[in-house]
Amino acid sequence: MVALMIFGFISFHRLGVSLLPDVDFPVVGVSLSLNGAAPEVMESQVLDPIEDSIMQIDGIRSITSTAQQSSASISVEFELNQNIDDALQAIKDHINQVRNLLPTGLFPPTLRKTNPEDQPIMWLTLTTDDPKTPLIDMMIFAKNFLQDQFGIVPGVGNIVLGGYVDPALRVWLDNPKMNRLDITSADVLSAIQAEQIEVPAGQLQNLKSEYNLRVMGEAISPEEFGKIRINNRGTEGVNFKPTLLNQISQIEEGTADVRRLSRSNGEKAVGIGIIKQHGSNAVEVGENVRKKLEEIAPLIPKHFRLNVRSDNTRFIKQSVRQLIFTLSLSALLTSLVCFLFLGSWTSTVNVLMAIPTSIIGTFTGFYFFNFTLNTFTLLGLSLAIGIVVDDAIMMLENIVRHRELGEKKKAAALKGAEEISFAAIAATIAVVAIFLPVVFMKGIIGRYFLQYGVTVTIAVLLSLLEALTLTPMRCSRYLTVEHNPKGFIKYVDKAFAALARRYEGILKILLAHRWKTVIITLIFFVTSISIAKRLPSEMMPAQDQAMFMLRFKLPVGTALGVTDDKIKQVENYLLKLPEVAGIFSAVGGFGGDAVNQGMAYTTLVDRDKRKISQSDLIKKVRMDIKHKIPGMETIVQDLSLRGFAATRGFPVEFIIQGPNWDQLTDLTQKVMEKMKSSGKVVDVNTDVQSGMPEVQITPNRAKMAEHAMAISTVTNALNTLMGGLIVNGQTEYPKGNHRYEIELRLKDTERNKLPDLNQVMIRNNRGQRVPLSELVDQKIKPSLLLISRLNRSRAITVYGNPAPGHSQQEAMEYTEKLARSMLPPGYTLKMIGSSQSYRESFQSLIFALILGIVVSYMVLGSQFNSFIHPVTVLLALPFSISGAFLGLYIGHQSINMYSLIGFILLMGIVKKNSILLVDFTNQCRAEGKDVHTAILKACPVRLRPILMTSVATVAGALPEALSLGPGSETTIPMAIAIIGGVIASTILTLFVVPCAYSLMSNLERPDKLA
């Protein structure tokens, strides 16, 4: 016992701490970027060839992708048994195979595995006191100093920068000056590539010494860069009047085009997101980051401020601390129950020794299985408190009974242990058997449940080991039993003796009306099923994690500045709310080119410092923004409901797919309008937005041939002047031991209206400059802001939240029914993300429950050597389900993943009472008693241990049911289900199982004991 505890303590201090189990999703994401490319170009030239190659990989379940201005993303979901590291490497190899088919300007693809643990656990924000501080200074400091400093903190796996824009040397070309001096963008580009270069020059060597040669060919300041001479004009050869670059442009150290902004509490900021390593202790990583923040504080320039904007480890720390507290409280209540039932401290201590042995010993199992201390493992331990004492209670109670009959310590321990060992082993194996089917659960949820199941299994197996070995040993030496009890023990014994007599009297009456008893019980069970239909059903209950996300969408074509002004109004509103602790805003989002969109990550003060809950505040914010800040769509996301999906994580999320894109968008809009007006779903939205104004420039091939102009020359000129060309290759700008890109583009004032295109001059292969207007035709047409696809076909994703007062299941069923009535043949709706996870999880859980019952029957059948008695034992299961439904209904809880965890646990523990009754009744019959006499003798004798184990289980779950701390929203439904199930099962088992046993004994073979 001591050895188990020692190794358990050592393992405990080496375990990681996280909110959820560290499980890799079978999903690989690919991010792609091509400056200036339209969504259709990203789709046809980037997504198509890459997806065509990736589809050849084995084990792919689905491929979803999106294309938008300048960027695209691909999400590849594999079968669960696929090795995610091998899958990532396979995708990388297949992308490399088609590299020569991709556009030359495409940035190297970024691949990543999807894991909830890969989300930042902390956000730091870098702000400045000086509004005149150049943006480039913030970017360089964040990238070159802060990212490096926090990247080496122990336990940190990666650093992401929110609102970061790459520093660059900007060359703002002046079109009128270029036209006046007969210079084109191609001339400028050629001059920069020829004059801004540094290549190895070799060495000077002789017999006595040697020297390294270095040609300092790069300008190191904007002033020096402006002195680059443009010595050639197209094919005309030498420019006899060389032009300095600063004569036709303005040169400055700046950043790439600012297509997104970020702010912290209304101040411009750069976010530093901390992602922990897999399996590391999130709380410890957070503490290490705060220590590093204090350490580097003297090194931060005075005009910069670096603060912690949000810290998810705070909720993790609070919820884990709450779970450990409830675990300790469960142990305390279990101790009190044992004392009240046993009336002796020596007996109580003997039983309670099972708790540290089992619970602390389980940490050793965590260490070797590479588990972390997370919600699932700690829930398993806290609920196991009331279970691990069951075997010790059964063993101790039976040994005490023999001591009270006058037997010596050793004889009583041996005989008592011998009588109860079979029941203890059978009960424990029955608990373990119910968790065996968890291994066969599908989806990510199966991986999470596996950790829960393994936790309970290890704990109960250790408790069985302790009960079969250490408990009899301690009883044989230290157990004291008073044959003439006095005081409290006397009252306890008298109370149970009276209760046993009353129970025996009721049992005699019920045995005389066996069929009536069974039928009334069946009616109760059927009635409870009708109650279950009234319970709301959802993937998981909302938790008050003191944070939520706001997403904003303005009409397509809205400029970044307009979006920024709207979000500033939201910031001003939120910062006035006393419940809000801080805001981190991202105008334009964290990626892509959606300047008409934005988000605000809102953190709240702790729950005990607020007058209203997070869910009530979300309702208030949703309504207030809708009425006070019109002109934009606002979507509120409760981040605790993201579930276990690799998508956005809204409770209602689906894809509509069909052959015709225009009809598909029209149908999707109609479905969304119906959903919004139904009152069952709120925050209904989609990523796809049409109507983005697009200037389509069509080359006139006849005119281009007349002017000896190639289409590539036109597109390259427009890319440089309008799109902003990043000079590739070795041509870069050195600054502070780092190298940055050089970007050419026209000044803002010369590319902000359509007539500016007519001022662009392009040189042909004869050296002549030709206006763009003489080469192309122009027209404005609406286009797509974003294109989404599923398995290489266009599809539209729609997402939303259940409206207040409506469950996730209700919202999903309404949506599917609506789609069936509105979608024509050839158009389909498919649930994805959290909606799909919800459905798969419930199907898997029901499958696990049914398979668990089958496995339990087989185990009990082999243990009792009977086909009849396992059925009698399993009668306790429907009683427990009835009690669980009733408990959830009374407690105003939903059927969700956590309450179903309680159902699974119930399937294992409620059989213990039946096993005790059936096993001891069989022992009495083996002594020659008839069935009726055996039942009347066995049941009153086993009343005390049955009540003890049941009340101990209820006491162990009571702190979770009454919990009000962080994360309690997940423990309450599970604990209530267990309490309701155990109470109902215990009461009905004591009265119905004896009647059923009596009836079913008539089905036994004649050679069985009568």
Side-chain angles (χ1 to χ4, degrees), residues 48-292:
D48 270 343
I50 290 178
E51 289 182 358
D52 185 48
S53 180
I54 289 176
M55 287 294 287
Q56 302 172 28
I57 301 173
D58 293 334
I60 290 180
R61 187 177 179 183
S62 67
I63 294 181
T64 57
S65 56
T66 59
Q68 53 187 321
Q69 187 74 18
S70 302
S71 67
S73 64
I74 302 173
S75 181
V76 186
E77 182 179 1
F78 290 86
E79 297 295 340
L80 196 60
N81 58 357
Q82 189 84 5
N83 185 294
I84 195 64
D85 294 313
D86 293 343
L88 188 142
Q89 185 59 48
I91 291 177
K92 185 181 296 185
D93 294 340
H94 277 74
I95 292 176
N96 289 334
Q97 290 174 12
V98 295
R99 187 70 185 174
N100 61 329
L101 302 178
L102 302 176
T104 54
L106 184 72
F107 286 93
T110 302
L111 280 73
R112 66 192 182 282
K113 294 183 291 185
T114 300
N115 187 324
E117 292 295 292
D118 288 337
Q119 298 296 322
I121 60 171
M122 292 181 69
W123 276 102
L124 312 178
T125 53
L126 177 69
T127 57
T128 177
D129 294 326
D130 184 2
K132 296 181 180 180
T133 301
L135 188 61
I136 184 176
D137 291 351
M138 293 184 67
M139 301 302 161
I140 289 177
F141 185 73
K143 177 77 172 178
N144 297 342
F145 180 75
L146 296 180
Q147 187 176 41
D148 294 342
Q149 289 292 322
F150 289 106
I152 61 175
V153 171
V156 172
N158 193 18
I159 303 292
V160 294
L161 299 178
Y164 174 79
V165 185
D166 287 316
L169 183 72
R170 301 307 303 259
V171 180
W172 301 107
L173 299 174
D174 189 315
N175 202 39
K177 290 181 179 179
M178 291 172 63
N179 292 338
R180 189 166 57 249
L181 294 173
D182 193 24
I183 291 174
T184 64
S185 60
D187 302 332
V188 176
L189 180 60
S190 297
I192 291 175
Q193 290 176 330
E195 299 293 329
Q196 181 74 2
I197 188 169
E198 180 176 330
V199 295
Q203 295 174 319
L204 282 177
Q205 296 176 328
N206 56 43
L207 295 177
K208 295 183 178 180
S209 60
E210 65 177 35
Y211 302 89
N212 292 331
L213 298 181
R214 182 183 178 189
V215 180
M216 308 297 288
E218 292 183 324
I220 59 174
S221 68
E223 293 75 19
E224 187 178 349
F225 194 86
K227 296 177 182 178
I228 290 178
R229 293 178 178 272
I230 303 172
N231 295 317
N232 295 285
R233 289 192 179 95
T235 59
E236 292 181 341
V238 179
N239 178 7
F240 292 100
K241 187 179 179 182
T243 304
L244 297 180
L245 185 59
N246 58 19
Q247 291 181 255
I248 58 164
S249 66
Q250 178 183 344
I251 303 162
E252 65 178 6
E253 293 178 347
T255 64
D257 285 344
V258 178
R259 302 289 289 174
R260 52 185 178 269
L261 305 168
S262 60
R263 284 190 296 273
S264 175
N265 290 345
E267 300 177 336
K268 69 177 180 178
V270 179
I272 297 95
I274 310 294
I275 299 175
K276 76 179 187 70
Q277 294 174 356
H278 290 191
S280 61
N281 186 325
V283 175
E284 185 178 348
V285 172
E287 292 173 351
N288 290 338
V289 168
R290 289 180 180 274
K291 290 178 183 176
K292 173 60 73 170

Side-chain angles (χ1 to χ4, degrees), residues 563-834:
T563 307
D564 188 33
D565 290 339
K566 283 287 185 182
I567 294 181
K568 282 180 179 177
Q569 296 179 43
V570 175
E571 291 173 346
N572 292 333
Y573 160 74
L574 290 174
L575 289 173
K576 292 177 182 177
L577 297 176
E579 297 85 4
V580 173
I583 310 166
F584 183 73
S585 306
V587 185
F590 281 109
D593 205 46
V595 296
N596 68 319
Q597 301 179 23
M599 59 183 64
Y601 182 82
T602 309
T603 54
L604 311 178
V605 298
D606 289 342
R607 179 67 181 91
D608 56 358
K609 299 177 182 177
R610 282 183 271 126
K611 294 181 179 179
I612 61 175
S613 67
Q614 176 179 298
S615 58
D616 291 337
L617 182 63
I618 286 176
K619 296 175 191 175
K620 171 180 167 58
V621 169
R622 181 187 289 121
M623 295 302 298
D624 285 354
I625 292 179
K626 180 180 179 180
H627 293 104
K628 294 181 179 180
I629 311 175
M632 67 177 180
E633 295 180 74
T634 303
I635 304 100
V636 188
Q637 184 175 11
D638 186 341
L639 298 177
S640 70
L641 296 176
R642 281 180 295 186
F644 309 111
T647 54
R648 283 187 180 273
F650 282 85
V652 179
E653 197 167 2
F654 59 90
I655 277 181
I656 300 178
Q657 200 166 13
N660 183 279
W661 179 255
D662 291 333
Q663 188 176 2
L664 182 63
T665 55
D666 183 57
L667 286 169
T668 303
Q669 287 299 325
K670 290 180 180 178
V671 170
M672 290 172 59
E673 290 301 323
K674 286 280 189 180
M675 291 173 65
K676 292 177 181 177
S677 61
S678 70
K680 298 179 184 293
V681 191
V682 294
D683 301 323
V684 180
N685 220 298
T686 177
D687 290 330
V688 175
Q689 288 182 284
S690 58
M692 177 69 183
E694 179 180 79
V695 180
Q696 295 185 349
I697 300 174
T698 307
N700 188 317
R701 294 187 181 274
K703 291 182 180 180
M704 294 190 70
E706 179 183 341
H707 290 286
M709 188 73 69
I711 292 179
S712 61
T713 306
V714 174
T715 56
N716 288 337
L718 287 174
N719 184 31
T720 302
L721 298 173
M722 299 296 170
L725 176 69
I726 298 175
V727 183
N728 295 320
Q730 297 178 329
T731 309
E732 293 179 312
Y733 176 69
K735 178 180 173 64
N737 297 321
H738 294 274
R739 299 177 66 79
Y740 302 105
E741 295 170 339
I742 302 170
E743 187 169 346
L744 279 65
R745 201 175 191 187
L746 281 178
K747 292 180 178 180
D748 291 346
T749 56
E750 296 171 12
R751 52 178 174 83
N752 58 11
K753 52 189 180 297
L754 285 176
D756 290 338
L757 290 171
N758 299 328
Q759 304 302 316
V760 174
M761 305 293 288
I762 305 172
R763 198 183 305 279
N764 62 14
N765 59 11
R766 302 168 186 166
Q768 302 169 330
R769 291 188 307 119
V770 182
L772 178 68
S773 57
E774 295 185 15
L775 302 171
V776 300
D777 299 320
Q778 303 173 22
K779 60 182 177 181
I780 300 177
K781 289 185 66 177
S783 66
L784 298 173
L785 188 65
L786 180 142
I787 298 172
S788 59
R789 297 156 41 120
L790 173 65
N791 295 330
R792 306 198 65 200
S793 297
R794 286 189 176 184
I796 297 178
T797 302
V798 180
Y799 50 87
N801 292 309
H806 297 273
S807 68
Q808 181 180 9
Q809 181 187 24
E810 189 179 353
M812 287 172 56
E813 288 177 349
Y814 170 79
T815 301
E816 289 182 311
K817 183 179 178 181
L818 180 67
R820 283 194 297 268
S821 65
M822 295 184 64
L823 297 182
Y827 293 81
T828 59
L829 178 144
K830 178 186 177 183
M831 289 293 173
I832 61 170
S834 293

Side-chain angles (χ1 to χ4, degrees), residues 313 355 420 507 521 676 687 723 784 821 839 888 969 998:
T313 66
I355 294 178
I420 210 69
L507 203 55
T521 307
K676 292 177 181 177
D687 290 330
L784 298 173
S821 65
R839 188 152 291 165
L888 292 174
E969 296 89 348
S998 178

Side-chain angles (χ1 to χ4, degrees), residues 539 809 812-813 816 831 834-844:
M539 180 70 176
Q809 181 187 24
M812 287 172 56
E813 288 177 349
E816 289 182 311
M831 289 293 173
S834 293
S835 297
Q836 184 182 23
S837 297
Y838 163 81
R839 188 152 291 165
E840 288 181 351
S841 299
F842 273 61
Q843 291 172 351
S844 293

Side-chain angles (χ1 to χ4, degrees), residues 378-392:
L378 287 174
L379 280 177
L381 286 179
S382 60
L383 292 174
I385 288 286
I387 304 171
V388 295
V389 296
D390 287 359
D391 293 333

